Amino acid sequence: VQLQASGGGLVQPGGSLRLSCELPGFTSDYDTIGWFRQAPGKEREGISCISSGETDVRYRESVKGRFTMSRDSTKNTVYLEMNSLKLEDTAVYHCATTPMSGHVVYTLVEPCVFASWGQGTLVTVSS
């Protein structure tokens, strides 16, 4: 599964960015879709995710009210709208999934569980 996030860049504190990730196949092929980030020298942090059967997106506490994940099934694309960005949001952001079926290795990235991800996109928040 090739997942490529895009839309990162340099933004000032308080600014906004929208990340995109086109999913191979159809969104219905995936049990879980979401985002995580990793800053240099730090562990991965789950940002947001939603699994089949869920109606609400799960968010990391520190991004609640600022970040919004959405998906466009007609474009097989998932988005992460990031507002009120803070310095501590600086990281490489990855979109990630778990498949609806198949044998995979799951990785816990609290509050989410993912099996696949690709190259991320760098978000730098700096004044």
Side-chain angles (χ1 to χ4, degrees):
V1 175
Q2 296 296 319
L3 296 167
Q4 179 62 61
S6 62
L10 174 63
V11 63
Q12 293 186 336
S16 299
L17 281 175
R18 188 176 82 155
L19 307 183
S20 301
C21 179
E22 185 173 354
L23 303 176
F26 302 96
T27 55
S28 59
D29 294 337
Y30 303 98
D31 180 39
T32 300
I33 300 170
W35 295 86
F36 72 88
R37 68 188 180 190
Q38 188 165 23
K42 295 188 177 181
E43 295 197 357
R44 298 185 190 111
E45 295 182 337
I47 297 299
S48 62
C49 52
I50 188 167
S51 296
S52 60
E54 293 183 327
T55 56
D56 296 328
V57 177
R58 283 172 277 152
Y59 290 98
R60 182 177 195 80
E61 193 64 34
S62 62
V63 307
K64 284 182 179 179
R66 300 189 298 122
F67 291 11
T68 303
M69 188 179 87
S70 62
R71 56 185 172 181
D72 185 338
S73 297
T74 65
K75 297 180 180 179
N76 298 325
T77 300
V78 61
Y79 303 97
L80 185 67
E81 185 79 33
M82 306 186 295
N83 298 313
S84 302
L85 283 161
K86 303 177 180 180
L87 296 175
E88 53 264 39
D89 294 320
T90 294
V92 176
Y93 285 71
H94 301 259
C95 59
T97 64
T98 62
M100 192 62 75
S101 62
H103 296 286
V104 295
V105 175
Y106 296 95
T107 299
L108 176 63
V109 190
E110 289 276 13
C112 310
V113 176
F114 297 123
S116 300
W117 56 87
Q119 288 198 349
T121 185
L122 176 62
V123 172
T124 303
V125 184
S126 175
S127 55

